[in-house]
Amino acid sequence: MYIQYNMDQLCLPMDLEEDIPENHLVRIVNDAVNRLDDRIFEAAYPGGGRHSYHPKMLTKIIIYAYTQRIYSSRQIAKAVRENIPFMWLAARQRPDFRTINRFRSERMKDLLETIFTSILSLLAEEGYIKLEHYFVDGTKIEANANRYTFVWGKAVVKHKAKLEEKVKTLFATIEAAEQEEEQAAQGKDLPELGEDAQVTSEKLEQAVQKLEAKLQQQPKNKPLKKAVRLLRKDMLPRLRKYEHQQAVLGERNSYSKTDPDATFMRMKEDHMKNGQLKPGYNVQIGTENQFIVGYSLHQRPTDTRCLKPHLEKVKATLGRLPKTVIADAGYGGEENYAYLEEENVEAVVKYSTYHQEKTKKWRADVSKIDNWHYDAASDTWKCPNGQTLVFYAESRQRTDGGFSVQLRHYRSLNCADCPLKAQCTKAKGNREIRVSMRYFEYKQKAREVLRSEKGYALSVRRMTETESVFGQIKNNRNFRRFLLRGLSKVSLEVGWLSLAHNLLKWATMKQTGRTPGLV
């Protein structure tokens, strides 16, 4: 009546591989990691102590775990004990969660990029990637940090300035009370604080020590005793705290107290619909045929200043830059165009106003110099009303990244009777403009490339390249928040995610029988 069922009977075969289908993802992970050179892992194992688990085994189970939406080291250890594919990869060994986490975040710190590059070499051998078309984009992922314990750069500067004023006022009060060098102190810095107007913790420490020595000579001086106590217990610790916060901030405008490397950014996942800032990181990836070819992690919310360091990292990792870089308007700055030109990389990169220029409203706007005519021979501009703007000055300015921009200033000869003046400018006098001619030329070249058949096809393809990868990572594999803290450890997480994505994509293509030429 029933099929025989007896849990006490030993069943054969006992090999776990028999229960794994031929084209299963776990076999792709196993084969790919087995093809890696064992010497890659030697640097992470100096020797001594008890024997370690084999690094290839740990690498396999972590990569496979990331493909299965398992990111916690405890959950990975649990899967190794209970899940057949994990048990097969581990050869029935059972590393605990501490071993897995230590291997993932410490031992692989200097090796993960080498493994990532080796896997890319395997993909290149089979023709999946050629490093010809490199599609770049970024996404913000929330950090493993408290959303409400933050430090803002402007607040630190404000509180520090107030504290410095209080310190100076206190020293002025001490000097006035003792009636020493009162006339010399007016309009100048006090002797205890030195000649520099800025109060530092080091200078304040020296000044407090002088006051403490003076207090030894005047032990009954209550105002002096109170001032020394206030400086030592309150003002000096606060000043040191503000200096430490400024050092952590660097060029950033904010950071999280629970993960100081995380910067507060505006995320797309805004559930309260109030534009709330959350601690996070800007993840930059470059793809080809939806395989991740390069990745980098940044603390800046905007993409513009991330392109150059991202490509420098790709160059250091792969040994060369791709032939063509395709990116959206968030990367279309003069500095990025100049960098790509210097590196002899073809740029299919939109600038910020590329799509606006196509609208009727933009083309009808007489104030936009993109609708004007420039005469290179006479170095003059001609507005829609026929007025000529002539060159009269030149200036330079530096961007936040230190890039020097050369600006040329032009001025109209007579706008007094122009019927379009109200639409062109709000200035009372003649219209003046300042233009970076280098950026103007870059935009013209980018416009020609983007409107060509090849450029248009690549810019359309970009929409399905990086966005599909981000959709896989954030939606299909539900990775929306980092588990580790600190820039270096979070970078490792991105590396593991990239490895898992590439092997998952590789397995999917093999299972569906798709060839590299059809990608």
Side-chain angles (χ1 to χ4, degrees):
M1 184 176 180
Y2 301 109
I3 296 175
Q4 184 179 358
Y5 173 69
N6 186 353
M7 293 180 63
D8 298 324
Q9 179 70 40
L10 180 64
C11 297
L12 296 175
M14 297 179 63
D15 188 358
L16 293 174
E17 188 175 2
E18 295 293 330
D19 295 326
I20 298 175
E22 183 179 352
N23 293 323
H24 198 279
L25 168 63
V26 73
R27 293 186 181 273
I28 302 294
V29 174
N30 181 62
D31 293 341
V33 177
N34 280 342
R35 290 167 67 179
L36 298 177
D37 193 337
D38 288 342
R39 290 174 295 182
I40 293 176
F41 301 94
E42 290 178 359
Y45 291 87
R50 59 162 289 179
H51 292 305
S52 303
Y53 285 108
H54 201 288
K56 281 191 174 181
M57 181 270 288
L58 293 171
T59 302
K60 291 174 186 177
I61 63 173
I62 293 175
I63 292 176
Y64 184 66
Y66 273 64
T67 65
Q68 302 302 302
R69 301 170 57 173
I70 302 174
Y71 309 111
S72 164
S73 57
R74 286 179 171 82
Q75 292 298 321
I76 296 174
K78 183 174 184 290
V80 169
R81 297 191 302 268
E82 301 175 355
N83 190 293
I84 289 178
F86 280 96
M87 293 167 66
W88 177 66
L89 283 177
R92 293 186 183 270
Q93 296 179 14
R94 295 184 175 184
D96 63 13
F97 74 93
R98 293 183 182 87
T99 301
I100 294 171
N101 195 44
R102 188 163 54 247
F103 177 82
R104 173 174 62 175
S105 59
E106 295 179 14
R107 289 203 181 271
M108 297 298 289
K109 181 169 57 178
D110 301 321
L111 303 180
L112 191 61
E113 288 187 6
T114 305
I115 294 175
F116 179 77
T117 307
S118 300
I119 297 295
L120 288 182
S121 299
L122 299 179
L123 292 171
E125 287 176 9
E126 298 199 12
Y128 290 103
I129 60 173
K130 300 178 181 178
L131 209 61
E132 291 182 351
H133 299 139
Y134 191 80
F135 300 86
V136 185
D137 205 354
T139 189
K140 300 179 185 69
I141 298 181
E142 189 175 350
N144 181 12
N146 192 312
R147 299 173 183 175
Y148 308 104
T149 56
F150 41 74
V151 174
W152 299 106
K154 291 182 179 179
V156 173
V157 172
K158 176 182 175 182
H159 294 319
K160 186 183 176 186
K162 286 184 177 180
L163 180 61
E164 289 179 0
E165 287 299 319
K166 288 183 179 180
V167 171
K168 291 180 179 180
T169 302
L170 180 60
F171 274 92
T173 304
I174 295 171
E175 292 292 325
E178 296 183 353
Q179 297 181 355
E180 294 178 359
E181 302 176 0
E182 181 178 354
Q183 297 299 323
Q186 291 180 357
K188 300 180 181 179
D189 293 319
L190 295 167
E192 287 84 352
L193 295 177
E195 298 181 357
D196 192 358
Q198 186 176 5
V199 179
T200 64
S201 60
E202 184 179 355
K203 287 168 58 179
L204 187 57
E205 173 66 33
Q206 295 173 357
V208 173
Q209 290 177 2
K210 291 180 181 178
L211 292 178
E212 288 174 338
K214 193 179 294 184
L215 186 60
Q216 294 292 330
Q217 301 172 1
Q218 305 173 23
K220 294 185 179 180
N221 189 335
K222 291 185 178 181
L224 182 60
K225 185 183 295 186
K226 182 179 179 181
V228 169
R229 187 186 304 114
L230 182 63
L231 286 165
R232 178 63 71 185
K233 299 293 185 182
D234 179 41
M235 293 185 172
L236 186 57
R238 283 168 57 197
L239 184 58
R240 285 173 175 159
K241 181 183 76 171
Y242 295 146
E243 289 178 346
H244 170 72
Q245 290 174 342
Q246 287 183 322
V248 173
L249 281 165
E251 297 181 355
R252 296 182 291 161
N253 59 5
S254 64
Y255 73 84
S256 170
K257 291 182 179 178
T258 46
D259 183 1
D261 287 341
T263 306
F264 277 79
M265 308 176 181
R266 184 165 281 107
M267 306 284 179
K268 288 184 179 179
E269 294 82 8
D270 184 11
H271 305 296
M272 298 181 69
K273 306 296 181 183
N274 60 355
Q276 180 187 13
L277 301 178
K278 298 176 184 176
Y281 294 92
N282 189 347
V283 179
Q284 297 285 315
I285 66 166
T287 68
E288 186 178 20
N289 294 331
Q290 296 183 18
F291 287 95
I292 299 177
V293 180
Y295 64 88
S296 61
L297 193 71
H298 304 267
Q299 297 170 295
R300 300 186 182 99
T302 56
D303 292 334
T304 309
R305 289 178 58 194
C306 294
L307 181 65
K308 184 176 178 179
H310 172 77
L311 291 179
E312 287 292 331
K313 182 177 182 291
V314 171
K315 185 178 180 180
T317 303
L318 303 181
R320 68 181 181 93
L321 287 175
K323 295 180 180 179
T324 306
V325 168
I326 305 97
D328 63 10
Y331 300 88
E334 181 179 345
E335 184 175 2
N336 291 336
Y337 284 129
Y339 171 76
L340 293 172
E341 184 180 58
E342 291 171 5
E343 296 291 339
N344 295 318
V345 175
E346 182 184 6
V348 185
V349 181
K350 298 176 183 177
Y351 47 89
S352 58
T353 58
Y354 176 73
H355 290 292
Q356 298 176 35
E357 290 177 2
K358 297 180 179 180
T359 63
K360 291 182 179 179
K361 181 179 179 181
W362 180 280
R363 292 196 297 266
D365 192 342
V366 297
S367 67
K368 306 297 184 184
I369 65 171
D370 297 281
N371 298 324
W372 297 8
H373 174 70
Y374 175 69
D375 185 4
S378 60
D379 190 21
T380 58
W381 290 82
K382 185 165 288 188
C383 75
N385 194 41
Q387 292 290 333
T388 302
L389 286 82
V390 297
F391 169 77
Y392 74 93
E394 195 171 60
S395 64
R396 284 186 176 274
Q397 69 178 26
R398 288 194 174 274
T399 63
D400 294 337
F403 181 74
S404 179
V405 178
Q406 184 176 350
L407 298 171
R408 294 180 65 81
H409 298 249
Y410 298 85
R411 181 183 293 159
S412 174
L413 299 176
N414 184 16
C415 292
D417 300 324
C418 179
L420 302 177
K421 183 178 179 182
Q423 304 172 38
C424 183
T425 178
K426 296 180 180 179
K428 293 182 179 180
N430 295 330
R431 175 70 190 270
E432 297 184 12
I433 61 172
R434 59 177 189 170
V435 187
S436 169
M437 296 306 299
R438 192 182 184 189
Y439 187 40
F440 179 72
E441 293 171 0
Y442 283 141
K443 290 202 297 183
Q444 281 187 320
K445 185 178 179 180
R447 194 180 293 116
E448 292 174 3
V449 171
L450 290 164
R451 291 177 181 176
S452 67
E453 184 177 349
K454 176 186 175 183
Y456 179 76
L458 288 174
S459 62
V460 170
R461 182 179 163 189
R462 185 202 63 80
M463 302 176 190
T464 59
E465 275 280 345
T466 53
E467 296 299 340
S468 297
V469 175
F470 289 142
Q472 286 285 339
I473 292 173
K474 299 177 76 173
N475 189 58
N476 292 358
R477 293 202 290 281
N478 199 32
F479 192 93
R480 298 180 179 273
R481 194 168 189 254
F482 289 111
L483 275 73
L484 305 178
R485 294 179 178 179
L487 190 64
S488 60
K489 291 185 177 181
V490 173
S491 296
L492 287 174
E493 271 196 281
V494 177
W496 287 112
L497 280 170
S498 301
L499 273 170
H501 171 83
N502 285 349
L503 291 176
L504 189 60
K505 177 74 175 175
W506 192 0
T508 302
M509 296 186 68
K510 286 196 171 188
Q511 289 168 0
T512 56
R514 294 167 63 189
T515 60
L518 299 176
V519 179

